[in-house]
Amino acid sequence: MAVQEPASPGRSAAGAEKIDAALIRLALVLLAGVVVVQLDATIVSVALDRLGRAFEVDIPTVQWVTTAYLLALAMVIPVTGWSVERFGGRRMWMLALALFLAGSVLCGIAWSIESLIAFRVIQGLGGGLLLPLMQTIMAQAAGPQRLGRLMAVVSAPALLTPVLGPVLGGVIIESLSWRWIFLINVPVCIVALVLAWRTMPPQELSTRAPQRFDGIGFALLSPGLAAVVYGFAEAGRHGGFTEAAVLVPLAIGVVLILVFVGYALRTRIVPLIDLRLFRSTSFCGAASLMFLFGISLFGALFLLPLYEQQVRGRSPVEAGLLLAPQGLGMMIGMVVLSRIADRVSPRAMVLGGLTLSVLGSVAYTQVTAHTSEVLLGASLVVRGLGLAAAMVPVMSAAYIGLSVAEIPRATSAVRIFQQVGASLGTAVLAVVLARQLPDATGGGRPPDAAATAHGYAVSFWWTLGFSIAAVPLGFLLPKRSAVARETDGHGHVDAPEPRSGPPARVAAATDGQ
């Protein structure tokens, strides 16, 4: 560990596994900062329609409010380990909170869509640091014997954010204004900063030199991904992929990503994303699945509130309430399935979860302006259950066959793939939706509800398609459960799964936000 583990009264030989008051207090302090980040992701989802009208911009433009934030989240994740070694967990935690606070204030006073998107990047840089920092600080303070139980306690409130976030966002927009979906973060961040300053113990820095940060990889991959996503957004605005404004950024982005791939495979330092990890079949499947889960989950979070507001004429509060069943399904799935994850085949869980996700998406591919809300709500519960069942075993499966030294790199890589999938999925679905909606209007007439609903139905087919595309990847995951892998039935150890990675229930709960 780069940071020495702080002493704790409960770490005596007699009570080494006891979760003492100091640890609980630390967990609550960290939770205060993490929950606000997780709520922010879902609160903004119900505000996109209002933001588009406030700034008079189209869907491909307003989607950048979400996409830019998610890209910033992804790109800052690899900085976490290096920064903790260099500056210490307490300092980095307070810096990340301050950055998220500053971004929230700037977003709240944004004067144009361009300024709002730029300030969302600042907010995303802070938010992207907070989630992995929480896991790192907790792991160092609790140790492996107590980490699972402590993280389970911390993750429990986080499971409520997919349910409460959209509703809270709708209430804020209805009662106040869109600016308060960002300004609401300010008092919470200030309280979290004060608590961290007063209660988090100072940590000694390691005497050894910190691991070298991959600046070259960062300079290649970050603009490469941004250029690809920007190209897709421009395709939605121009109605195709033939314009120079679309082809040029796409080409630049693809070239930068390919150069990064070549560089990452040859560099002697640990690259931003260690592509050598893909030699492990299980990691390959897990990373690819999290990429598609990011597209499917966040793509739906982009489409669902817009459908309810633009087609059904729902208020932001009503749209938030109608979006909550998916979060409820995920919450139930995380709580129930994480208890049995180690005893059930990861492959079986993922395939079963994908099946539920597909079944829960079918109703939305047939939506009209008058589809039963009961049917749609029940479908979202099933879809949420499926996503939870598919996501719970994936993070643990990512570590199988890897060395202890490779586990932190695997954690960062899988998180990056999910966030990149989320940002790319939002951009792609914005393109699909933008190309469908022009047919719903014409001649200066008001939008036709039936034609607009059909445009959303076509877009929902894409989310269904991404879920189906994930099915073959499920077969790359282990066939046997963690318990079965630990013994071959005769008391012999059989390729035990590494134990130093984050618990499956925690990783799934936090990654799904």
Side-chain angles (χ1 to χ4, degrees), residues 332-357:
I332 295 171
M334 293 289 186
V335 171
V336 174
L337 296 172
S338 62
R339 299 174 184 270
I340 63 172
D342 287 340
R343 300 191 297 273
V344 179
S345 162
R347 183 183 300 178
M349 278 191 71
V350 168
L351 294 177
L354 288 173
T355 300
L356 287 176
S357 179

Side-chain angles (χ1 to χ4, degrees), residues 173-400:
I173 294 170
E174 283 279 290
S175 305
L176 301 169
S177 78
W178 65 264
R179 297 185 183 276
W180 282 96
I181 64 175
F182 303 110
L183 296 178
I184 194 68
N185 298 329
V186 174
V188 181
C189 287
I190 291 175
V191 170
L193 273 170
V194 172
L195 289 174
W197 177 65
R198 290 177 62 90
T199 64
M200 287 183 70
Q203 296 170 311
E204 270 185 56
L205 299 180
S206 173
T207 55
R208 68 180 177 86
Q211 179 178 290
R212 180 180 168 188
F213 176 65
D214 183 17
I216 296 176
F218 190 85
L220 289 171
L221 189 60
S222 298
L225 291 172
V228 169
V229 175
Y230 178 78
F232 276 105
E234 286 298 296
R237 183 176 292 108
H238 292 279
F241 291 86
T242 58
E243 300 289 334
V246 177
L247 293 176
V248 171
L250 279 176
I252 292 174
V254 170
V255 169
L256 286 174
I257 292 172
L258 290 176
V259 172
F260 169 79
V261 170
Y263 160 80
L265 292 174
R266 291 194 304 269
T267 183
R268 294 185 177 182
I269 67 171
V270 178
L272 196 69
I273 298 179
D274 190 354
L275 300 180
R276 300 178 186 91
L277 296 174
F278 281 91
R279 294 169 181 167
S280 165
T281 302
S282 186
F283 175 83
C284 181
S288 303
L289 282 167
M290 291 304 286
F291 177 79
L292 290 176
F293 290 160
I295 295 177
S296 182
L297 176 59
F298 283 88
L301 286 177
F302 170 71
L303 291 175
L304 288 167
L306 288 176
Y307 163 75
E308 293 292 351
Q309 293 175 80
Q310 294 187 352
V311 177
R312 309 296 287 262
R314 305 296 186 187
S315 68
V317 174
E318 292 171 329
L321 287 169
L322 293 168
L323 187 61
Q326 177 171 271
L328 179 64
M330 290 190 68
M331 180 180 70
I332 295 171
M334 293 289 186
V335 171
V336 174
L337 296 172
S338 62
R339 299 174 184 270
I340 63 172
D342 287 340
R343 300 191 297 273
V344 179
S345 162
R347 183 183 300 178
M349 278 191 71
V350 168
L351 294 177
L354 288 173
T355 300
L356 287 176
S357 179
V358 168
L359 292 175
S361 302
V362 169
Y364 276 90
T365 66
Q366 308 298 316
V367 288
T368 68
H370 308 288
T371 304
S372 167
E373 292 288 10
V374 175
L375 172 63
L376 295 180
S379 296
L380 284 182
V381 173
V382 173
R383 190 173 190 276
L385 283 169
L387 286 170
M391 291 172 66
V392 163
V394 166
M395 278 301 294
S396 292
Y399 302 122
I400 297 171

